[in-house]
Amino acid sequence: MWSRLRAGHGQVSAKELAAATGRGSRRLQVLLREQIGLPSRTASRILRFQRALTLPTGACRSLADRAAVCGYYDQAHMNRDFRDLAGLTPAQLCLLTDRAVSRGRAPIEGRLANVFDH
């Protein structure tokens, strides 16, 4: 279940997960909370945020495009997640990500280590 959720960058519905695993949605919620420590909506939110953060700058023409590619309803939805999860705007965080990549710290499996190192 976690592999499928990660592979879908948080854009897999509970119904799709239930069908893929053969378990009920309530049971999946319990398992995810036990194993990951988060409800599925929160895990999906973090995975979308992670993808939006590590998507190369040139992959999208605008922040609105980045929001759509990463599964957000709109750019305002992405902006709220960035502020809630990182305390920065998407533009500020993407700039930090680009600086980290230019220093040779490329994303590995959708994760970016040491983004905040100066």
Side-chain angles (χ1 to χ4, degrees):
M1 171 180 60
W2 178 244
S3 297
R4 188 173 291 266
L5 196 57
R6 280 191 61 214
H9 304 288
Q11 297 182 51
V12 181
S13 71
K15 190 175 184 177
E16 291 170 328
L17 284 174
T21 62
R23 309 237 179 182
S25 58
R26 175 133 4 241
R27 180 67 183 144
L28 291 177
Q29 281 288 351
V30 169
L31 288 171
L32 194 60
R33 195 176 286 268
E34 285 175 359
Q35 299 299 314
I36 306 297
L38 300 169
S40 63
R41 286 185 185 213
T42 304
S44 292
R45 182 181 186 203
I46 291 168
L47 290 169
R48 276 193 311 270
F49 169 76
Q50 189 174 33
R51 180 161 189 228
L53 182 60
T54 59
L55 198 65
T57 302
C60 301
R61 294 184 322 231
S62 66
L63 288 174
D65 285 344
R66 181 177 296 264
V69 166
C70 295
Y72 288 100
Y73 182 73
D74 57 16
Q75 185 180 344
H77 180 202
M78 183 177 74
N79 290 349
R80 280 191 302 277
D81 270 4
F82 270 65
R83 285 193 190 275
D84 290 348
L85 296 172
L88 298 171
T89 67
Q92 291 169 325
L93 261 174
C94 289
L95 179 63
L96 288 173
T97 300
D98 290 343
R99 286 182 188 160
V101 169
S102 71
R103 289 188 216 125
R105 297 184 181 119
I108 301 169
E109 293 181 19
R111 289 173 289 198
L112 189 61
N114 304 319
V115 170
F116 296 102
D117 291 348
H118 293 291

